Amino acid sequence: MTSVFVWLEHFDGVLVQPSREALGAAGTLGGKITGLVFGKNVDAVVKAAFHAGADEIIKVDDETLETFRFEPYVALLTKIVKDNTPDIVLAGHTTRGREIMGGAAADLDKGLLADCTELSLEGGRLKAVHPVYSGKVLSTIEIVSDGTQFATLRGRAFTPNEPDASRSGNVISASPVLAESDIASKVESFEASVGKVSLSDAAIIVSGGRGVGGPEGFAPIRELAEVLGAAVGASRATVDAGWIPYEHQVGQTGKVVSPDLYIAAGISGAIQHQAGMRTSKTIVAINKDADAPIFGLATYGIVGDLFELLPALTKVFKEKLGK
Amino acid sequence: MHVVVVTKSTPDTAAKVTVDGSGNVTWKEAMVINPWDEYSVTEAVLLKEAHNIKTTVLTVGEEAHNEAVKQGLAIGCDQGIRVWDSTLANADSLQYSRAVAAAVQKLGDVDLVIFGKEQADTGTDQHVYQVGRKLGWNVIGSVFKIQEIDFAGKTIKVVRLVEQGKQVVAGKLPAVISVVKDINEPKYPSFMGIRKASKAEIPVWDGAALGVDFGLPGVKVSAYQNPPERAGKVQMIDGDSADEKARKLVEKLFEDKVL
């Protein structure tokens, strides 16, 4: 039977969405799914992982693992994979997921299919689709090394399981590999982002471009985002102008997103911006310029003034959604 | 005291990259420095200006990657090196990482290796973490700001971005970091800088010179294809007022079950 390990990321005691998606993807490969939960006081995460599809959990609960750090987390994943030799290890392609999986694959000299948007198992070998050249081309990539195969999955490319509260399973406790004195780094402080919804996980994104005219121009964008429970995105031009922090940038040197609905207001749609949002399911473009390239990509387009259209949309959505 | 910045050349960001009838990836536009590396190379030069250290700009690959090295030299890096031999053709991230780690070890006195967050052509970043493991050094990824760096005391403190916000992380040197956009204002080469860089010798180190075998890959690319076209053409929504247009759009989105 194929054994699939899934490294499970959590934050503030909550299993993150990309890890739920990885458990969903693991289920499509067949076989037994073992979730790996590293951290401090992680029982709630363990429980959520069973509900989200894990058959068993290897839990490592220790002071040194309280926040993610490269060295202790990589050393631990490497040790667990070495000891258990699973066929496959999966994780979400998040900041931390990229780091731990890349590190462990290097330690073990095994292949890693990174940032997969499709994944299949053929004759025991993992095969994946991975967008290259900023999404202008798709590559098919395959593992050629023997033994354990690693893959990280792009956010929102795989479907999570519906949580099933009746599920539980065996929990195996393991020990960390590094002692505090062996670890070269410390996380000294953390400052949470202002936006409530993370861009990479968001089902809806409302983005502003040069057309918003200045920092205060993001106000109608934020109001619409608030009503829709959406994240706020931005074009590179607005970030470079200092109108909004870099964390909001969608595009080639920002974030790659794939929401169900992407509303682009006042964004002309330079190729570098398209690189970050072209796989969105439905794209709405609002722009004064009827010739803006964004209309070439959009599902729906409105030519007009975003300062009139966005408040109108906010009002209609409020009525429709009963807010 | 020595900082190495690792870079590569990628097609111009506005290039039309497509897959031709034989399955090869093609484009007509020029190669430029990987867009994420504008920041990493600039950061190396800023560290040199502030700390009087040596800087090396390193690439792994065919001669086309000298373009990126020259950009580094033109804005102020001290020397360029290219690692290449035929065993690195179609190198995967493991082979690439072994090559970078071997070059850093040959340089000998390196305190910090800097990467741009991703390679815009391959769309990957695992090589950053893999170089760290091959060197046995700590890695701090997605660095937004270097708050403090003490080359003599061998410490570094950075702000890094994670999905939920910003972390302040303190670590030891030597280390590997990757940097995001906005860590600095990229430096662009002056005319004199370009002249100087065009005359610079960029030595090529092969496996024999490094005394290593780049080993076997873990992954291969079996095919390239053009992405599917987006279904359908844009449907424009008209109306006499913003309110009417908004109502029509929202109805469409509900009909499509987008909401």
Side-chain angles (χ1 to χ4, degrees), chain B residues 1-5 43-56 76-79 109 111-112 114 149-152 173:
Chain B
M1 294 191 287
H2 192 167
V3 170
V4 173
V5 58
E43 198 62 21
V45 174
L46 292 172
L47 287 171
K48 176 189 162 180
E49 289 167 359
H51 299 275
N52 193 29
I53 49 155
K54 185 175 174 185
T55 50
T56 297
C77 289
D78 298 310
Q79 63 172 0
D109 56 351
D111 303 280
L112 184 68
I114 311 181
I149 187 161
D150 178 353
F151 286 96
L173 297 178

Side-chain angles (χ1 to χ4, degrees), chain A residues 227-243:
Chain A
V227 170
L228 293 172
V232 172
S235 72
R236 176 174 182 155
T238 62
V239 173
D240 287 354
W243 298 350

Side-chain angles (χ1 to χ4, degrees), chain A residues 98-99 106-107 109 130 133 136 138 140 142 144 186 188 191 193 240 249 252 272 278 280 300-301, chain B residues 13 15 121-122 125 133-134 157 160 163-164 166 168 170 181 218 220 222-223 225 230 237 256:
Chain A
R98 297 164 182 225
E99 295 176 358
D107 285 355
D109 282 316
H130 163 59
Y133 298 95
K136 293 170 191 168
L138 300 179
T140 304
E142 291 171 42
V144 293
K186 274 196 170 45
E188 294 193 343
E191 184 193 323
S193 0
D240 287 354
Q249 186 183 321
Q252 188 162 250
Q272 293 86 343
R278 59 174 300 138
S280 306
Y300 296 110
Chain B
T13 55
D121 53 355
T122 61
D125 61 349
R133 294 307 281 184
K134 294 298 175 197
K157 190 186 279 193
R160 86 171 194 128
E163 279 79 2
Q164 300 83 2
K166 292 187 184 122
V168 175
K181 175 177 175 276
K220 73 163 184 190
S222 48
Q225 64 190 89
R230 281 193 71 86
I237 292 176
D256 296 350

Side-chain angles (χ1 to χ4, degrees), chain A residues 66-121:
Chain A
E66 183 155 17
T67 48
F68 178 94
R69 287 180 290 174
F70 183 77
E71 291 173 293
Y73 269 67
V74 172
L76 182 55
L77 180 59
T78 297
K79 171 86 166 41
I80 287 175
V81 172
K82 212 177 197 167
D83 290 351
N84 297 277
T85 58
D87 298 307
I88 294 165
V89 185
L90 301 180
H93 190 69
T94 59
T95 302
R96 301 173 183 91
R98 297 164 182 225
E99 295 176 358
I100 188 172
M101 295 284 279
D107 285 355
L108 299 161
D109 282 316
K110 301 297 180 196
L112 163 64
L113 304 178
D115 192 21
C116 306
T117 54
E118 291 172 36
L119 189 69
S120 60
L121 194 56

Side-chain angles (χ1 to χ4, degrees), chain B residues 114-149:
Chain B
I114 311 181
F115 288 89
K117 182 168 183 268
E118 286 176 16
Q119 296 183 343
D121 53 355
T122 61
T124 54
D125 61 349
Q126 66 264 32
H127 58 280
V128 174
Y129 323 117
Q130 301 194 321
V131 167
R133 294 307 281 184
K134 294 298 175 197
L135 288 166
W137 297 359
N138 189 31
V139 180
I140 310 176
S142 301
V143 170
F144 181 69
K145 189 180 182 187
I146 297 180
Q147 270 190 347
E148 296 167 24
I149 187 161

